Structures are given as C-alpha cells and as structure tokens.
C-alpha cells in the first residue's frame, strides 16, 4: 500500500551502522507513508543477489511492487526525504 525502502546491510558493516539511525529517523518522520525493511545480506544472500546488491549498504526503493531505484552508500536524512 505504501512505498518500501529495503536496506541491504550486514552487522559487521561500519557504513551500515552509520545509516541505521538515519533510517530510523526517516521511518518516524514518514510513519504510515513509507515502510522501511532491513535485509541482512549474510542471512539472505539469495535475495541480495536477486536485487543485484554488489556493495553495502544498498537501498532499494519499491513502489507498487516494482523497484524504481537503488542507491549504495550512506545517505542523509535529507537525501532520503528527497527520494520519498
């Protein structure tokens, strides 16, 4: 029903840990307007492969079941707000 941001991460990834609080702020700011889900690439390697994740963190932006964009690296709250 709402756009989804998929966060592909790993527990050992420093930039992934830097992105986590940013995603939490965005989730609170856009509660009900966007859903943020996390996928651990170590646990879900096949799913990461399906999304062509080659580096982490990678964010996939999904609208109506279709991937409409993807970004790698640490993003700011402002960057994500612009995408949303």
């Amino acid at each position: 029903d709402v756009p989804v941001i998929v966060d592909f991460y790993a527990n050992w990834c420093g930039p992934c840990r830097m992105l986590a609080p940013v995603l939490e702020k965005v989730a609170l700011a856009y509660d009900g307007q966007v859903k943020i889900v996390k996928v651990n690439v170590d646990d879900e390697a096949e799913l990461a492969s399906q999304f062509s994740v080659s580096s982490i963190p990678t964010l996939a932006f999904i609208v109506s079941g279709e991937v409409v964009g993807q970004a790698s690296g640490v993003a700011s709250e402002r960057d994500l707000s612009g995408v949303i």
Side-chain angles (χ1 to χ4, degrees), residues 32-79:
Q33 298 172 35
V34 68
K35 183 175 184 175
I36 298 176
V37 297
K38 298 178 73 64
V39 175
N40 186 318
V41 297
D42 291 331
D43 296 337
E44 299 291 340
E46 187 175 318
L47 183 60
S49 178
Q50 289 174 4
F51 279 81
S52 301
V53 173
S54 59
S55 65
I56 53 173
T58 290
L59 301 176
F61 306 99
I62 302 173
V63 177
S64 300
E66 298 292 324
V67 178
V68 296
Q70 211 165 328
S72 295
V74 178
S76 71
E77 187 175 350
R78 182 177 177 179
D79 293 337

